[in-house]
């Protein structure tokens, strides 16, 4: 086998590897989509619940609920972006979504704690 033949064979193998890597990336992206879609549906449900809660809660918890709604909006924006991105980008966005979901939980926990503290002080 001469140098040109070896080079052609190496290029063909590199192209095949590139095709396989591209196929793997596409499969991974497709596998992530249902999970992201489900998390976005849950986020929309939570958004509706928090919106109702804001109108029903007092000023003390409304501020925390508004903050949670802001984090939730960011989460939904990130999820929408992840649906349009490549796998590596989607993986990074999914990490950001996990961080945003933690912020939502933390904000809601603060609202619950404030509400409970307010209820206790009203009873005393």
């Amino acid at each position: 086998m001469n140098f040109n033949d070896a080079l052609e064979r190496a290029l063909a193998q590199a192209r095949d590897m590139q095709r396989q890597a591209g196929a793997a990336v596409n499969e991974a992206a497709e596998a992530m989509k249902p999970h992201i879609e489900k998390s976005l549906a849950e986020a929309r449900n939570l958004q509706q619940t928090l919106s109702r809660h804001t109108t029903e809660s007092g000023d003390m918890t409304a501020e925390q609920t508004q903050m949670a709604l802001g984090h939730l909006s960011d989460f939904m924006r990130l999820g929408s972006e992840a649906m349009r991105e490549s796998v590596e980008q989607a993986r990074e966005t999914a990490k950001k979504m996990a961080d945003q979901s933690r912020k939502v939980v933390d904000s809601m926990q603060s609202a619950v704690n404030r509400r409970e503290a307010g209820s206790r002080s009203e009873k005393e």
Side-chain angles (χ1 to χ4, degrees), residues 2 5 14 18 20 26 39 43 62 64 66 68 83 87 105-106 108-109 111:
N2 67 29
D5 291 339
Q18 185 180 20
Q20 288 176 2
N26 289 336
S39 68
Q64 288 301 119
Q66 285 295 336
M83 296 292 286
V87 173
V105 170
D106 292 346
M108 288 310 303
Q109 188 61 52

Side-chain angles (χ1 to χ4, degrees), residues 74-91:
D74 290 341
F75 176 87
M76 293 172 73
R77 179 187 50 77
L78 289 167
S80 296
E81 287 175 14
M83 296 292 286
R84 294 186 302 269
E85 295 174 339
S86 71
V87 173
E88 188 57 38
Q89 290 170 320
R91 192 175 296 122

